Amino acid sequence: NLQQFVLFLKAISIGAVFMGANTYIGNAPNFMVRRIAIDDGVSMPSFFGFMAWSGAILIPIFVIVTVVFLVLI
């Protein structure tokens, strides 16, 4: 069925574009920036604290994006 194939391609495209940003969470340059900020006296969250903040922000955005692109369009 063509409609199912189109929906399948949309899901793959959305996953690649929007979820690919998750691969940047916790990579080495981010840890380097965190270390420099801590050395300069800036209060920074731990890795798990950062994961909690990013999850609290990103998960609702991912839900909204999924609804907008897969349900409404």
Side-chain angles (χ1 to χ4, degrees):
N1 186 332
L2 184 60
Q3 285 181 330
Q4 288 177 333
F5 183 68
V6 169
L7 185 63
F8 180 71
L9 288 179
K10 280 185 182 180
I12 290 175
S13 298
I14 290 169
V17 172
F18 291 103
M19 305 304 178
N22 285 334
T23 62
Y24 292 107
I25 296 173
N27 65 5
N30 288 342
F31 287 129
M32 181 181 66
V33 169
R34 180 180 183 270
R35 183 78 257 169
I36 292 169
I38 289 172
D39 289 344
D40 287 342
V42 177
S43 177
M44 297 292 292
S46 67
F47 175 76
F48 294 107
F50 178 73
M51 291 301 293
W53 274 104
S54 62
I57 293 168
L58 291 176
I59 290 173
I61 291 173
F62 294 153
V63 169
I64 292 168
V65 165
T66 300
V67 169
V68 167
F69 283 97
L70 293 181
V71 177
L72 299 178
I73 296 178

